[in-house]
Amino acid sequence: MRVSQLTYALSLGGLISAAKDALDHPGDACAALAAAFPLDVAYPNTALYIQASNYWSDRQGEVHPRCFVTPRNTEAVSKVIKILTSRNALFTVKSGGHTAFAGSSSIANGVTIDLVYLNAITVSADRQTVSVGPGNRWINVSETLDPLKLAVVGGRVADVGVGGLLLGGGISYFSGLRGWACDNVRSFEVVLASGHIVNASPIANADLYWALRGGGGSNFGIVTRFDLASFEQGDMWSNYRIFPGALNTTLIPRFQSLTVDGLPNDPAAHSYLFLTYEPPRGGYIAVTSFYHATVPSPPESTPSVFAPFQSVPGAIDSLTLVANMSTQSRIPGIPYGSRQTWWDTTVSATSASLLLDIVPLFEASNKILFAAANGSSIVPFLIFHPIPVNVITAMQQNGGNTFGLKPSDGPLMLVQLATSWEDARLDALVEESSRQLIANIESMAKKRRLYNGFVYMNYAGSTQQVQRRYGKNNERKLKRIARKWDPQGKLARLWRGYFKL
Ligand SMILES: Cc1cc2nc3c(=O)[nH]c(=O)nc-3n(C[C@H](O)[C@H](O)[C@H](O)COP(=O)(O)OP(=O)(O)OC[C@H]3O[C@@H](n4cnc5c(N)ncnc54)[C@H](O)[C@@H]3O)c2cc1C
C-alpha cells in the first residue's frame, strides 16, 4: 500500500469510527422512541411534558429536553436504553427530581427518561423486604408501610425521590441503628447499557451491588427495583427548637458532645442542627432537630439523650410531635420554586471549637451574598449532620459501601451548605462563594488535623469530585466495575448529569 493509500485508509477508518461515534440528533432519538412507545413520549407544549418538567430546584426545571420518555416497566426501560445507546443519543434519568443543580437529572436537547411509572411497592409475605420502584417518592413508601407498622431506612422528607436518595447514600431517621439507606438495600434490579436486566446483591453480581451503594447510578445502569430491608416500626418522636442564632455558641458544643457520646449510646436517636438567616425572626436562627425511633413515656417528655438541650434557655419556638413516618416526613423540607445549590465536606467531630469557628466563616460569606442580592431573596443554610461511630459501624454491613469510611475515622461531622435564591444573575456568585467556603472549612480542618474530606454525593456541589473523596482505591475500583458492566463506555458518554466517574 502506497503512503497516500495508507493515509486514505487511515482517514477513512477515522471517518467510519467518527460516524459510529457521532451523536444522534435528539429529534431522531425521540422519533425512534415514539415509534416504539407511541403513548409514552412527551414533546414540548403538551400536558405530559409540563407535568414531567416538575423539578424541586428551578435550575433543573428550566433545562428542557427534546422529549421525555416514560417507560412503564423494566422491559420498556431495557428497550429505551437499547434505542438510545444504539443511536448514540444523549439522555439523562429522573426519579424524584430533587437534585439542586441544572443537568443533574435534566438535559438540554437530549432525552429525559422519567421513571415516574415504575411506582410499584410490594411487601414480602414475611414482612422482611419491601420492593420499591424508583418512580416513588418516600411518602408513597411510608403511606404503604405505616398501616402495616413497618418502615425502611429511607428519606426523611416526603416528596424526595427514592432513586437518587438510595443510589447516593441516604441519611435516614433510622441510620443510628442501621446505617444509611444504601446499606439496607438487599438487592437491585438493574438495566445495563446493553439493555440486559441483571440483579445485584451480596450473592449475585456482588461487585455491582457494592458499586451501587454510593457510587451513583448514572455510571452503572438504570435501577428499576430496590429490594429494601424492612423492620417493625410504630410512631416516632420528634422535636424541633428554634433559637436565636447567637445561641450557637451554647448549642454547638452540646451538639458536638451529642455526636461523640450521646448518639452512639442511644442509636435509636437521630439529629441534625442548622443555622440560617430569617429576617422576620430577627436575623440568624439556630434550629435543633431531634428524632427518636422509640416514643418516650410520657410522649411529651424528651428522651434523655437530648436532655442537655432542654436546659438551654431562650428558644423562640418549639414543636414536639409523636406520629407515624408519613406525618413526620411532611414536617421538614424546602419548598419548590427557588434556585438551589448544595456543597458539603466532612470533618472530625472531636472538636467543638472547629465547628464553632465555621460559623463566622459562614456569616462572612453570607454578607457578600446579601449585598449582591440587593434585597432579592437569598436564604443560606449551614447544616451539621453527625456521622457518629455507630453509623459508620452499621455502614460495614453487606461488605461495606463505597464511601471508604471506617469506624476508626469517626466520629465525623458532615458539614453541608445549602442556599436557596431567586435571582438567576446570582448563580455564579453563589456557586463560587459555596466552593470557597467549603475550601476554607477544609483548610481550617487540615491545619488542626481534623480533616476527613468525605463528600456526600447527595449534598455535593456540581464540581465536587465525589468519588475521588472515597479514596483512590475505591475510585479505581468503581471505574473498573463501570467498565466491566458497560465495556463500550456508553453510559459514560451518553448519560449526562450528576457525578460521573
Ligand atoms: C427537600 C429535600 C430533602 C432531602 N432530604 C434528604 C434526606 O433526608 N437524606 C438524604 O440523604 N438526602 C436528602 N436529600 C437529598 C437527596 O438524597 C438527593 O437530592 C437525591 O438525589 C434525590 O433523589 P431524586 O430521585 O429525587 O433525584 P433525581 O434528581 O431524580 O435523581 C438524582 C440522580 O440519581 C439518578 N437516578 C435517579 N434514579 C435512578 C435510577 N433508578 N437508576 C439510576 N440512576 C438514577 C439521576 O439520574 C440523578 O443523577 C433531600 C433533598 C431535598 C431537596
Side-chain angles (χ1 to χ4, degrees):
M1 191 184 280
R2 295 210 317 262
V3 174
S4 58
Q5 280 175 317
L6 180 67
T7 317
Y8 176 71
L10 286 175
S11 62
L12 191 64
L15 276 177
I16 289 167
S17 86
K20 227 169 71 189
D21 287 350
L23 294 174
D24 193 16
H25 187 277
D28 296 344
C30 290
L33 290 168
F37 303 99
L39 299 178
D40 295 326
V41 173
Y43 287 101
N45 303 319
T46 61
L48 279 179
Y49 187 98
I50 293 164
Q51 195 180 317
S53 302
N54 180 33
Y55 287 88
W56 169 71
S57 166
D58 276 359
R59 296 171 78 199
Q60 284 249 71
E62 63 197 23
V63 177
H64 302 298
R66 185 57 70 107
C67 65
F68 285 96
V69 58
T70 46
R72 287 175 188 266
N73 52 44
T74 303
E75 287 66 36
V77 173
S78 161
K79 204 163 168 184
V80 165
I81 215 167
K82 276 186 197 159
I83 292 172
L84 294 173
T85 54
S86 66
R87 303 182 73 91
N88 281 322
L90 295 177
F91 68 95
T92 193
V93 174
K94 178 190 178 202
S95 169
H98 268 62
T99 27
F101 57 85
S104 43
S105 55
S106 58
I107 186 167
N109 250 333
V111 174
T112 299
I113 306 173
D114 185 346
L115 301 173
V116 63
Y117 291 135
L118 300 191
N119 57 1
I121 302 177
T122 318
V123 180
S124 67
D126 65 3
R127 295 165 59 87
Q128 303 285 307
T129 307
V130 181
S131 299
V132 179
N136 285 291
R137 310 299 176 101
W138 288 104
I139 188 68
N140 308 127
V141 179
S142 57
E143 282 184 340
T144 306
L145 299 185
D146 282 339
L148 303 173
K149 301 268 181 247
L150 287 175
V152 292
V153 183
R156 294 173 290 189
V157 178
D159 208 32
V160 174
V162 156
L165 184 132
L166 283 169
L167 290 164
I171 306 176
S172 160
Y173 297 128
F174 307 112
S175 289
L177 289 164
R178 298 164 199 278
W180 282 13
C182 66
D183 304 315
N184 291 275
V185 181
R186 293 193 196 282
S187 70
F188 302 85
E189 180 187 75
V190 192
V191 178
L192 302 171
S194 60
H196 282 105
I197 301 163
V198 297
N199 283 298
S201 74
I203 51 166
N205 305 316
D207 59 344
L208 185 58
Y209 174 70
W210 175 79
L212 288 168
R213 285 175 301 134
S218 67
N219 298 299
F220 304 101
I222 301 181
V223 176
T224 44
R225 198 190 69 235
F226 300 88
D227 294 337
L228 307 178
S230 47
F231 51 90
E232 305 290 325
Q233 176 68 43
D235 283 352
M236 267 177 59
W237 177 95
S238 66
N239 173 262
Y240 302 85
R241 265 168 209 229
I242 304 177
F243 295 89
L247 280 179
N248 79 79
T249 50
T250 308
L251 295 167
I252 288 176
R254 287 168 206 232
F255 192 71
Q256 183 262 336
S257 150
L258 176 75
T259 304
V260 175
D261 296 318
L263 297 176
N265 285 316
D266 186 354
H270 177 78
S271 184
Y272 56 93
L273 178 150
F274 65 88
L275 272 88
T276 187
Y277 190 73
E278 264 200 24
R281 291 191 193 264
Y284 280 102
I285 55 168
V287 180
T288 55
S289 304
F290 301 132
Y291 305 87
H292 209 284
T294 309
V295 176
S297 176
E300 45 308 337
S301 63
T302 296
S304 58
V305 61
F306 302 124
F309 294 84
Q310 275 191 297
S311 55
V312 180
I316 307 168
D317 214 343
S318 167
L319 170 74
T320 299
L321 185 70
V322 173
N324 62 21
M325 244 325 269
S326 304
T327 307
Q328 295 283 6
S329 73
R330 286 195 183 96
I331 302 289
I334 304 170
Y336 285 61
S338 294
R339 314 184 75 71
Q340 308 281 352
T341 192
W342 298 322
W343 286 71
D344 73 288
T345 189
T346 302
V347 298
S348 166
T350 53
S351 160
S353 62
L354 174 67
L355 305 180
L356 284 165
D357 290 346
I358 291 173
V359 176
L361 297 181
F362 170 64
E363 292 180 353
S365 147
N366 293 342
K367 252 192 195 152
I368 299 166
L369 295 181
F370 295 152
N374 197 20
S376 68
S377 164
I378 183 157
V379 188
F381 293 83
L382 168 66
I383 312 166
F384 292 120
H385 300 273
I387 314 180
V389 172
N390 52 306
V391 171
I392 308 177
T393 303
M395 284 180 178
Q396 312 307 313
Q397 64 189 295
N398 297 322
N401 60 33
T402 55
F403 301 153
L405 297 175
K406 302 180 298 297
S408 56
D409 298 327
L412 298 172
M413 190 67 78
L414 185 70
V415 183
Q416 182 194 4
L417 308 177
T419 311
S420 305
W421 69 102
E422 64 183 14
D423 185 347
R425 286 170 303 183
L426 296 177
D427 286 10
L429 177 71
V430 179
E431 285 293 323
E432 174 51 20
S433 125
S434 309
R435 189 200 63 74
Q436 188 60 56
L437 180 51
I438 287 291
N440 292 346
I441 293 168
E442 291 189 335
S443 120
M444 189 163 77
K446 277 179 189 163
K447 277 190 200 133
R448 301 183 195 187
R449 298 183 182 280
L450 295 166
Y451 174 75
N452 172 272
F454 166 66
V455 170
Y456 175 32
M457 177 179 289
N458 281 346
Y459 292 152
S462 60
T463 55
Q464 288 193 277
Q465 292 187 305
V466 172
Q467 292 94 340
R468 186 146 300 171
R469 299 299 186 93
Y470 296 175
K472 279 225 162 69
N473 284 345
N474 281 10
E475 189 192 19
R476 263 199 295 268
K477 195 170 153 190
L478 283 168
K479 284 184 176 164
R480 259 199 323 270
I481 295 170
R483 259 199 311 275
K484 173 180 161 190
W485 292 97
D486 176 18
Q488 291 177 295
K490 291 274 187 181
L491 301 185
R493 218 163 81 76
L494 302 174
W495 185 339
R496 292 293 156 89
Y498 230 40
F499 299 96
K500 306 296 286 187
L501 282 164

